Amino acid sequence: MDIFTPIFPEEKLHKHFKILQLDSAKPIRATINNWAKGFIDRDRKLVQEFQTTFNSSFWELYLFQCFKELEMKIDFSKASPDFSVQTKSRNYLSIEAVTANHALKDEPEWSSPEILREYLNKPRNEILEYASIRLLNAIDFKHKKFLKSYGKMEHVKGNPFILAIASFEQPAFFRQNNQAINRVLYGCDAPKMVGSKLDGSPNFNIPNIDTVKKSNGSPLELGVFTTDKFKEISAVIFSTTATFSKALVQSEFSNHCTVSSRRYKCGEGWFGYIDQISEKRVYKETHLDGLHIYHNPFADNPLDIEDLDSYEITQNTFNKVSKEIEPNHTDGSLISRSTHWEFDK
């Protein structure tokens, strides 16, 4: 599949695609081509969208490489949902990919550097509230589509149905990490340390957050996985690190590039963070680093943790009794990563 030969005039090409056309981006093109190896473009839309709107197609290619690394078999004979897979445990999953995008009147993710700086200086909660609204919109849209069409397909019935969601809804979208999706799915805000336990380890409180207000002031309910209203969705795959920089750090890109990252550092009864700034030539990151799975405790067809499991992947569950999120972070789990690079023209 040739995804990099332009099939549109330059004015229609996406900003990120144009960067990938540069000579110095050749190693990054090679990495993305490797992700795409074996992918079948059934509706002949992926190449068009990759060149003109970019993010949704990039996300699908990233996911495809994830499934290959998890040793899944993908059945391309099924037109929809996006991925019909068989896991190593011989279970069948139906997976639909979706991106949370900006509202029509708002700034897109690929805005100018000046607008990006403006968003980097915004209060963090403003970023989180907007991300929550756009994520809710994407989930609700796909849930309705499942009820209308996907759920009636014979090859989908009885399988766990999973939404794979990437958030590209605003400049500086990456600032949300996994905090907005925690609010949307489990109604939980970031943990706050409230003292120490008897053994000296930190004691955390996880505040609940029930609603988010739209720009017109009307409230939207958060915590869609805390009741059975979305029981048809078995789980959510989520990442804010599956970005252009994911391909860059995996590639042999040799121009000057520094990588800023934050990872969990955890042991028995405690956890913290490690912030690091590295030269790309010594920085290591796997394809699955930064990936989260969110399980729906009310799902009609629950997802088996082993079906989407790897050391780097964080498995998130929700305790129906305590009403708390239960994340399973492993030591070294990637929280965030950004790159600062120079491209030759």
Side-chain angles (χ1 to χ4, degrees), residues 42 63-64 66-68 70-78 80-96 155-156 159-160 162 237 303 307-308:
R42 292 159 295 184
L63 290 169
F64 182 58
C66 287
F67 302 149
K68 289 190 289 184
L70 291 168
E71 300 179 42
M72 294 180 172
K73 296 179 181 178
I74 300 172
D75 183 358
F76 281 107
S77 70
K78 307 295 190 296
S80 57
D82 291 316
F83 297 99
S84 295
V85 306
Q86 184 183 28
T87 70
K88 287 194 298 183
S89 304
R90 299 184 180 276
N91 294 325
Y92 291 91
L93 310 178
S94 300
I95 304 172
E96 177 71 359
H155 66 280
V156 173
N159 296 342
I162 300 159
I237 298 171
L303 171 69
D307 284 330
L308 285 169

Side-chain angles (χ1 to χ4, degrees), residues 151-212:
K152 298 175 183 178
M153 298 175 179
E154 289 301 322
H155 66 280
V156 173
K157 290 179 180 177
N159 296 342
F161 178 73
I162 300 159
L163 285 185
I165 306 173
S167 212
F168 295 107
E169 77 295 325
Q170 61 188 312
F173 66 92
F174 46 84
R175 286 184 63 199
Q176 67 185 273
N177 299 334
N178 67 322
Q179 196 172 343
I181 196 71
N182 285 352
R183 293 180 176 189
V184 169
L185 297 180
Y186 296 152
C188 296
D189 211 355
K192 299 183 184 301
M193 194 166 76
V194 291
S196 300
K197 299 178 182 177
L198 293 176
D199 61 2
S201 62
N203 190 23
F204 290 94
N205 175 48
I206 303 177
N208 293 328
I209 181 164
D210 300 322
T211 61
V212 61

Side-chain angles (χ1 to χ4, degrees), residues 187-342:
C188 296
D189 211 355
K192 299 183 184 301
M193 194 166 76
V194 291
S196 300
K197 299 178 182 177
L198 293 176
D199 61 2
S201 62
N203 190 23
F204 290 94
N205 175 48
I206 303 177
N208 293 328
I209 181 164
D210 300 322
T211 61
V212 61
K213 288 186 178 180
K214 297 171 66 175
S215 57
N216 62 9
S218 60
L220 295 173
E221 287 187 15
L222 298 170
V224 300
F225 278 3
T226 62
T227 71
D228 64 357
K229 290 182 181 179
F230 286 77
K231 64 183 185 300
E232 294 81 8
I233 301 175
S234 305
V236 160
I237 298 171
F238 182 80
S239 177
T240 54
T241 63
T243 61
F244 188 99
S245 291
K246 173 70 78 170
L248 189 152
V249 297
Q250 289 184 22
S251 75
E252 298 298 322
F253 182 72
S254 59
N255 286 27
H256 178 70
C257 177
T258 57
V259 184
S260 303
S261 63
R262 169 172 281 191
R263 292 179 181 270
Y264 282 104
K265 184 65 180 174
C266 48
E268 189 173 346
W270 63 273
F271 76 90
Y273 311 104
I274 290 181
D275 293 316
Q276 189 174 23
I277 298 177
S278 310
E279 290 292 324
K280 180 205 164 291
R281 58 187 174 81
V282 297
Y283 177 78
K284 303 295 181 185
E285 180 178 316
T286 73
H287 193 73
L288 298 173
D289 267 332
L291 199 65
H292 284 257
I293 310 297
Y294 286 85
H295 297 263
N296 185 353
F298 294 91
D300 286 339
N301 299 295
L303 171 69
D304 190 328
I305 285 179
E306 292 185 1
D307 284 330
L308 285 169
D309 191 32
S310 180
Y311 181 84
E312 309 100 304
I313 297 175
T314 298
Q315 303 283 345
N316 300 276
T317 56
F318 182 79
N319 189 312
K320 291 193 284 187
V321 177
S322 66
K323 308 292 185 184
E324 290 184 346
I325 183 175
E326 295 180 347
N328 182 21
H329 300 293
T330 52
D331 188 40
S333 295
L334 182 67
I335 300 171
S336 62
R337 176 256 301 118
S338 60
T339 55
H340 311 272
W341 34 258
E342 296 175 359

